[in-house]
Amino acid sequence: MNRKLLDLWVGFFVAIGFAAVLFLALRVGNVSSANFAETYRLTAKFDNIGGLKVRGPVKSAGVVVGRVAEISFDAQTYEAVVTMTIDGRYHFPRDTFASILTAGLLGEQYIGLDAGGDEKMLNPGDVVAKTQSAVVLEKLISQFMFSKASETADSK
Amino acid sequence: MRDGALALLTGLIRGAGHRMNDALQTLGFAARFFMMILVYSGQSFRRLHLTIREVYFSGFQSLLIILVSGLFIGMVLGMQGYETLQRYGSSEALGVLVALSLTRELGPVVSALLFASRAGSSITAEIGLMKATEQLTAMDMMAVNPIARVVAPRFWGGVISMPLLAALFSAVGVFGGYLVGVVLIGVDEGAFWSQMQGSVDFHLDVWNGIVKSFVFGAAVSLIAVFEGYDAVPTAEGVSSSIKRTVVYSALAILALDLVLTSFMFRGI
């Protein structure tokens, strides 16, 4: 076979191969929003993190502003310590409220940050003081059952 | 009676030991052969068109089977995934299911299996026949190193082609899932792509898939060139070499997949 034609087809093959990698990276994997250019770290302590996973999203007003970097257990206070990496472009007030929320009824869990009204901002490495734990479905159901039971008992 | 049983037993043990010895010897030769390929690679890269020619034969010519199979597998994933997910009311997660199963597992593994049977077997047949017709010996006589001239380009051609083929397989598969899920069944297009982009991580999923396919490509190519080079130079010997290429490649791909997966996705 003619060497020029051969080179042409091989070039075509390599080009569409790289196009496929690019497609997987940009369209399927969305490489652009996964890596923030500059980040800083915040930690928060929760009584219960539910099903939160490392690399889970951190959202504020529904926008992804960071990722969960690390989850560990504090043996002194028996709390979960969650370290988050936050996009360096965004800063949050000192009295920001961190809660663990669920996307949809049974979807993945994420950390929601609700900004407060403080003038001072959280510095890198700071601890988010106000937190709310994950809602555990079993506890919620049992609470509901108990309150229903006491309601019917009262009405009698 | 007792002597007969004893003779049978010793015969069995002797046979097992003999086979073990042969297997170890072949393994040792394969390792030495791999080192020789690496050593003579520089020499064969100086005549780069040899490798490019092999990329054409094993990569470009496998395109059709890879693209068509990828499309079908993506479509089947779309149908089966929808069938299961809609029971739990989360058919929007179809994109995630299709993309993750393709980039992590199916893309690298299935395309490597196809590659082994399409390109690996033909490499073995070619080298085996060259050996049977004493072309390799003739090259040696003319002071042309057959490993640098014949074996190394075929090995590198496979190693280069495999990741590209696997990426194409995954990309076409995602497109097939899109065709069935969004165009045919009517899953919401925005949710299909955005949930996929939200859950597929470039490093963890796409890049690990590429690393996997690279390893599979090296394993399949090595097995193919080695079985060809090691073939008994008869028609029967070449045919059993080809059979071994396909069988060993498939086993190596699946075993390596287990090992690599346990390294890559541990506890996340």
Side-chain angles (χ1 to χ4, degrees):
Chain A
M1 195 179 206
N2 187 338
R3 196 186 288 182
K4 266 187 184 161
L5 196 65
L6 203 111
D7 282 356
L8 181 74
W9 285 123
V10 170
F12 170 72
F13 168 62
V14 173
I16 61 166
F18 275 106
V21 174
L22 217 66
F23 170 78
L24 291 177
L26 298 176
R27 195 84 173 98
V28 177
N30 204 5
V31 75
S32 50
S33 80
N35 302 326
F36 306 114
E38 269 183 48
T39 59
Y40 63 96
R41 286 180 163 233
L42 294 177
T43 50
K45 291 185 174 180
F46 295 94
D47 290 333
N48 190 338
I49 57 165
L52 190 73
K53 297 268 186 340
V54 171
R55 294 203 46 75
V58 178
K59 296 184 184 180
S60 185
V63 181
V64 177
V65 295
R67 299 252 169 223
V68 174
E70 204 183 313
I71 296 172
S72 57
F73 182 68
D74 186 343
Q76 254 83 52
T77 58
Y78 302 105
E79 284 177 318
V81 182
V82 178
T83 309
M84 302 168 271
T85 53
I86 309 288
D87 191 337
R89 287 175 297 173
Y90 307 124
H91 291 278
F92 292 92
R94 293 285 286 273
D95 57 348
T96 292
F97 194 79
S99 45
I100 296 181
L101 304 167
T102 309
L105 187 59
L106 297 167
E108 61 169 356
Q109 290 192 303
Y110 64 95
I111 294 183
L113 293 178
D114 294 312
D118 202 324
E119 302 267 301
K120 288 178 188 154
M121 294 293 169
L122 282 166
N123 292 318
D126 277 359
V127 178
V128 179
K130 294 203 266 179
T131 61
Q132 189 192 26
S133 292
V135 174
V136 178
L137 210 58
E138 290 91 326
K139 282 187 185 168
L140 202 70
I141 291 170
S142 66
Q143 271 174 9
F144 176 73
M145 302 272 271
F146 277 126
S147 67
K148 270 287 173 202
S150 60
E151 256 176 45
T152 46
D154 286 346
S155 63
K156 271 179 190 171
Chain B
M1 180 65 204
R2 190 184 243 185
D3 281 356
L6 199 67
L8 193 71
L9 199 65
T10 49
L12 273 177
I13 293 172
R14 196 176 295 154
H18 192 69
R19 226 165 293 150
M20 182 90 168
N21 222 348
D22 275 0
L24 278 178
Q25 209 169 12
T26 313
L27 194 67
F29 180 45
R32 192 159 61 85
F33 185 73
F34 181 52
M35 289 314 291
M36 282 201 289
I37 292 177
L38 294 185
V39 167
Y40 291 120
S41 289
Q43 206 174 324
S44 75
F45 280 150
R46 240 171 284 153
R47 301 183 68 193
L48 198 62
H49 70 94
L50 291 175
T51 308
I52 291 177
R53 192 172 156 274
E54 295 311 322
V55 174
Y56 175 81
F57 281 120
S58 47
F60 180 77
Q61 295 199 333
S62 309
L63 262 185
L64 192 67
I65 185 171
I66 291 283
L67 292 182
V68 172
S69 326
L71 192 69
F72 284 156
I73 285 197
M75 288 169 125
V76 168
L77 271 179
M79 281 181 198
Q80 293 280 17
Y82 179 78
E83 178 62 29
T84 311
L85 285 173
Q86 56 103 17
R87 282 188 214 172
Y88 304 100
S90 48
S91 56
E92 283 79 20
L94 186 64
V96 181
L97 183 134
V98 171
L100 278 185
S101 36
L102 276 166
T103 54
R104 281 187 176 184
E105 287 298 329
L106 285 174
V109 171
V110 177
S111 59
L113 290 174
L114 290 171
F115 184 78
S117 33
R118 163 69 184 75
S121 58
S122 76
I123 289 173
T124 307
E126 201 180 1
I127 298 179
L129 258 165
M130 278 182 170
K131 191 181 181 192
T133 52
E134 295 183 333
Q135 291 181 47
L136 296 181
T137 325
M139 275 182 200
D140 239 351
M141 298 287 281
M142 292 187 290
V144 175
N145 186 326
I147 293 189
R149 178 70 178 73
V150 174
V151 173
R154 282 169 177 71
F155 174 76
W156 287 111
V159 173
I160 294 167
S161 307
M162 194 55 242
L164 297 172
L165 289 173
L168 277 166
F169 188 96
S170 301
V172 171
V174 169
F175 181 68
Y178 166 81
L179 276 186
V180 166
V182 176
V183 178
L184 217 67
I185 298 178
V187 175
D188 183 55
E189 182 169 358
F192 182 87
W193 288 111
S194 68
Q195 289 215 11
M196 187 192 297
Q197 290 174 350
S199 320
V200 179
D201 179 53
F202 177 73
H203 183 77
L204 191 69
D205 301 318
V206 177
W207 182 248
N208 277 349
I210 293 173
V211 171
K212 266 188 185 177
S213 59
F214 180 77
V215 174
F216 295 162
V220 171
S221 307
L222 182 65
I223 290 171
V225 291
F226 175 74
E227 288 297 341
Y229 198 80
D230 193 42
V232 178
T234 57
E236 206 177 21
V238 173
S239 108
S240 75
S241 277
I242 297 168
K243 176 197 73 192
R244 277 204 301 273
T245 296
V246 176
V247 172
Y248 290 172
S249 296
L251 289 178
I253 290 162
L254 296 174
L256 280 171
D257 186 45
L258 176 65
V259 174
L260 289 173
T261 306
S262 62
F263 269 118
M264 288 167 174
F265 302 106
R266 189 168 30 187
I268 305 174

